[in-house]
């Protein structure tokens, strides 16, 4: 029964973080997890849609809708790949980069606040365990 409690707690922590970030990102029209995709695109400029889907672990249909919204709102551009004309590389616009600075600041503040009660050793152990569970 403990393993179910652990997984449920992991889910609760994830939902809380997502809700907090969605709320903060709302003023940029980056709610509904759009902030998540933009952050990854800025941090990994030029990655493909397939690579991004794997990175954030969402299906390609969900990602496609999100990327369309980001492009319509002028946060990203899609560039046809030079080597593979079927793949599209993703790049942030200047608007996307500026929004990233705000999102990164909010994310860091949230993480710092949530992790404040854990020592450096506990944080390292938590990361090790979550990585093990996530494999």
């Amino acid at each position: 029964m403990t393993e179910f409690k652990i997984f449920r707690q992991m889910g609760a922590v994830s939902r809380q973080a997502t809700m907090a970030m969605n709320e903060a990102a709302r003023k940029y029209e980056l709610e509904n997890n759009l902030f998540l995709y933009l952050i990854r695109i800025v941090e990994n400029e030029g990655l493909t849609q397939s690579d991004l889907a794997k990175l954030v672990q969402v299906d390609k249909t969900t990602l496609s809708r999100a990327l369309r919204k980001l492009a319509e709102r002028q946060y990203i551009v899609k560039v046809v790949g030079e080597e593979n004309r079927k793949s599209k590389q993703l790049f942030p616009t200047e608007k996307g980069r500026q929004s990233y600075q705000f999102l990164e600041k909010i994310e860091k503040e949230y993480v710092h606040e949530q992790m404040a009660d854990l020592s450096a050793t506990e944080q390292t152990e938590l990361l090790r365990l979550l990585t093990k569970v996530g494999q």
Side-chain angles (χ1 to χ4, degrees):
M1 191 56 131
T2 301
E3 59 192 20
F4 290 112
K5 287 181 182 180
I6 293 169
F7 264 71
R8 288 179 181 164
Q9 186 61 36
M10 287 169 48
V13 168
S14 176
R15 284 187 298 282
Q16 288 171 351
T18 300
M19 287 182 353
M21 285 298 294
N22 274 318
E23 182 63 33
R26 182 169 282 126
K27 75 179 186 177
Y28 289 95
E29 294 185 281
L30 291 169
E31 66 280 352
N32 297 327
N33 298 336
L34 292 178
F35 71 88
L36 173 68
Y37 309 119
L38 179 59
I39 287 172
R40 296 308 185 276
I41 291 167
V42 172
E43 292 176 346
N44 302 280
E45 288 193 30
L47 81 165
T48 65
Q49 288 183 219
S50 293
D51 291 338
L52 182 57
K54 290 174 193 169
L55 187 63
V56 296
Q57 298 184 357
V58 296
D59 63 90
K60 290 181 183 180
T61 303
T62 300
L63 181 60
S64 235
R65 279 192 300 266
L67 293 176
R68 185 176 63 248
K69 288 178 185 177
L70 286 172
E72 287 170 357
R73 295 174 189 177
Q74 300 179 341
Y75 285 100
I76 66 162
V77 292
K78 299 176 186 178
V79 176
V80 175
E82 290 181 17
E83 294 177 20
N84 181 353
R85 311 275 310 149
K86 290 183 181 181
S87 77
K88 293 196 175 120
Q89 292 180 284
L90 307 170
F91 295 92
T93 62
E94 187 56 36
K95 179 181 178 181
R97 284 187 187 90
Q98 289 174 357
S99 299
Y100 171 80
Q101 291 173 353
F102 165 78
L103 294 170
E104 182 185 39
K105 179 179 181 267
I106 296 299
E107 184 179 42
K108 283 181 179 179
E109 288 172 0
Y110 181 82
V111 169
H112 180 71
E113 182 180 305
Q114 298 303 309
M115 302 297 279
D117 292 337
L118 295 179
S119 70
T121 303
E122 289 171 324
Q123 290 180 28
T124 300
E125 182 64 7
L126 180 58
L127 176 59
R128 185 188 71 74
L129 293 170
L130 289 172
T131 301
K132 187 175 182 177
V133 169
Q135 292 177 341

